[in-house]
Amino acid sequence: MSNAQLILLDKRNQPLKDYLVAVAASDGLTIKGVEVMASPAKGEKSLLNGGIIIPPLEQYDYNPKKLTEASLKQINVNDEIISIECFIDRCSNDEAVRKALSKSINKFSKQLLTIMQSFCDSEVIDLIKERRNDALFKLHNHAKDLKGKKIVCIDIEATNISTDPEADIIQLSACDQDGKELFNQLINPGYDIPENDKHNITTEMVQGQPLLAQAWDEIHDTLRDADIVLAYSTESDFMYLQKSAEKKMLRFELDYNTWLDAAEMSRDLIGAMRWHSEKMYWFFKTPKLTAAYEHILAKPFPGDAHDALADAVATMELLQAMLEKGKKSQVKQPKPKAKAETITNNPFAAAFANAKKA
């Protein structure tokens, strides 16, 4: 007979909010200070220790029992993820010890359940659910508003980020709502393309390709004549076009009000919640196109993630999948939040607050 048992070690010394940063939505987290220890007997040296992983809360419907079951299947031992049964097998070759450890799983699970419950009772859960509902409601409306509209999806590769005034466009690609290619044009910037991990385009690839001014009219007019221009991060793509037109003195008749950002929709629908420690507020992190595509469509990202045409086609497919989720949702229009009245005995503060309202 053995007195071996699984013991939950909880040596956290930080507020719960600090741990919620990485698990609030689409992430998971190995909690520092929280471990499972296989103890042979009271006062004896541990047989083996493993880290406890908090699975993605949203993925398991914020259900503490489901989260506990999932966590027991992914114990972190020296960066290797194993089940609690495999963990026990590694603890000892003694059958009696393994049997005793297995018997203690139920007690250990109940202790772990308490931790999972504390995460699910957090203030952020309602914030996440509210954001998801709002996202579905907006997608439901988009599905109706976009019906019959001519949608063009664009993607741009450039020599640097859009905020760099020296950045130049080196590929412009677009497709229609059926994913059919409208244009896929490499652009010669007129100089050697610097190495960049954001694209795979080399100087050799753009040799013999037109300058932006030579390809501009067809590209510009295709976007101008669309009812809706779709992009993954419209702000950067629009900025590339606007700054390029200014720099090269090209006509520019594009209206940002007709642009639709798939990145914003993805952020609201699946983005992980984060805590901004300096500004002290929660915010939602925008997922990369590849991550959003694979999460929402539940299949691998097609083609090269650094090719403008592949990204445009994937973005259009992502939009269609999100609109379908919106159409199928039963979410009703969110009720407007009542503005809390600020109570103060300071007449100057009250006057300032009223002025702001006005």
Side-chain angles (χ1 to χ4, degrees):
M1 184 175 177
S2 171
N3 293 321
Q5 60 177 313
L6 298 173
I7 296 176
L8 181 68
L9 301 177
D10 190 350
K11 299 178 182 177
R12 289 176 293 171
N13 58 4
Q14 291 174 283
L16 179 65
K17 185 175 287 184
D18 291 350
Y19 294 103
L20 282 163
V21 168
V23 297
S26 60
D27 296 301
L29 177 69
T30 300
I31 310 183
K32 292 180 181 177
V34 180
E35 295 182 322
V36 52
M37 180 181 80
S39 172
K42 189 174 182 180
E44 292 189 24
K45 186 179 179 181
S46 169
L47 295 169
L48 186 65
N49 283 38
I52 297 298
I53 296 176
I54 302 295
L57 302 186
E58 193 170 18
Q59 184 178 324
Y60 292 92
D61 303 321
Y62 313 102
N63 184 307
K65 187 175 180 181
K66 290 180 181 178
L67 289 162
T68 301
E69 291 171 354
S71 187
L72 290 173
K73 294 176 183 177
Q74 45 184 349
I75 305 297
N76 188 344
V77 179
N78 298 322
D79 294 327
E80 183 184 359
I81 308 303
I82 60 176
S83 68
I84 192 68
E85 291 79 13
C86 185
F87 176 83
I88 289 172
D89 286 342
R90 291 190 184 184
C91 288
S92 174
N93 292 324
D94 189 326
E95 181 63 30
V97 171
R98 294 203 299 267
K99 190 173 181 180
L101 291 172
S102 296
K103 284 182 67 176
S104 69
I105 289 178
N106 187 47
K107 179 182 177 182
F108 175 78
S109 298
K110 289 179 181 178
Q111 294 172 322
L112 188 56
L113 182 66
T114 302
I115 290 181
M116 299 299 177
Q117 186 68 57
S118 69
F119 279 88
C120 294
D121 289 342
S122 163
E123 64 187 49
V124 303
I125 305 304
D126 287 340
L127 295 176
I128 296 170
K129 290 180 177 179
E130 182 181 354
R131 177 63 69 96
R132 304 309 187 221
N133 285 343
D134 287 350
L136 287 169
F137 180 76
K138 289 176 184 176
L139 286 168
H140 182 83
N141 285 342
H142 278 313
K144 293 187 293 184
D145 295 341
L146 295 177
K147 194 173 182 180
K149 295 284 180 69
K150 181 182 178 182
I151 306 174
V152 171
C153 184
I154 186 175
D155 190 75
I156 294 173
E157 300 295 341
T159 55
N160 209 334
I161 58 175
S162 60
T163 52
D164 179 3
E166 302 302 319
D168 282 307
I169 295 171
I170 51 178
Q171 187 184 15
L172 275 157
S173 301
C175 67
D176 63 15
Q177 52 260 60
D178 297 319
K180 181 182 176 183
E181 177 186 323
L182 296 176
F183 54 80
N184 182 25
Q185 183 64 62
L186 287 171
I187 301 294
N188 189 339
Y191 53 83
D192 289 348
I193 297 173
E195 289 188 12
N196 191 316
D197 59 2
K198 299 295 184 184
H199 61 77
N200 299 321
I201 301 170
T202 64
T203 302
E204 290 72 27
M205 291 171 64
V206 300
Q207 293 300 316
Q209 298 295 328
L211 300 173
L212 182 61
Q214 295 170 316
W216 182 258
D217 285 347
E218 179 188 356
I219 292 167
H220 173 275
D221 293 351
T222 300
L223 299 175
R224 182 200 60 192
D225 296 341
D227 295 320
I228 299 292
V229 177
L230 176 72
Y232 202 85
S233 185
T234 53
E235 187 175 347
S236 61
D237 285 343
F238 190 87
M239 191 180 296
Y240 278 131
L241 294 167
Q242 188 175 47
K243 285 187 174 182
S244 294
E246 291 174 359
K247 188 162 56 175
K248 301 180 187 304
M249 293 184 290
L250 305 171
R251 63 192 178 91
F252 189 81
E253 300 164 4
L254 305 182
D255 181 3
Y256 190 67
N257 292 315
T258 65
W259 285 50
L260 185 64
D261 196 341
E264 286 187 5
M265 298 180 198
S266 300
R267 178 197 65 205
D268 293 345
L269 192 61
I270 64 168
M273 182 175 261
R274 291 286 186 267
W275 174 251
H276 197 301
S277 56
E278 292 183 5
K279 297 184 179 180
M280 303 292 286
Y281 68 85
W282 291 106
F283 69 97
F284 286 82
K285 183 176 174 64
T286 303
K288 291 183 178 180
L289 171 60
T290 49
Y293 183 96
E294 292 179 355
H295 187 288
I296 292 172
L297 281 92
K299 63 181 183 180
F301 187 86
D304 184 354
H306 295 301
D307 177 77
L309 183 59
D311 286 356
V313 173
T315 300
M316 183 62 78
E317 195 176 353
L318 174 63
L319 172 69
Q320 304 292 2
M322 290 192 291
L323 292 178
E324 194 60 30
K325 285 184 178 290
K327 282 193 287 187
K328 291 180 178 178
S329 70
Q330 302 298 317
V331 178
K332 296 181 180 179
Q333 183 171 10
K335 294 180 180 179
K337 293 181 181 178
K339 291 185 178 179
E341 291 293 327
T342 303
I343 300 174
T344 176
N345 293 322
N346 186 326
F348 296 104
F352 180 71
N354 290 332
K356 282 185 72 176
K357 287 181 184 177

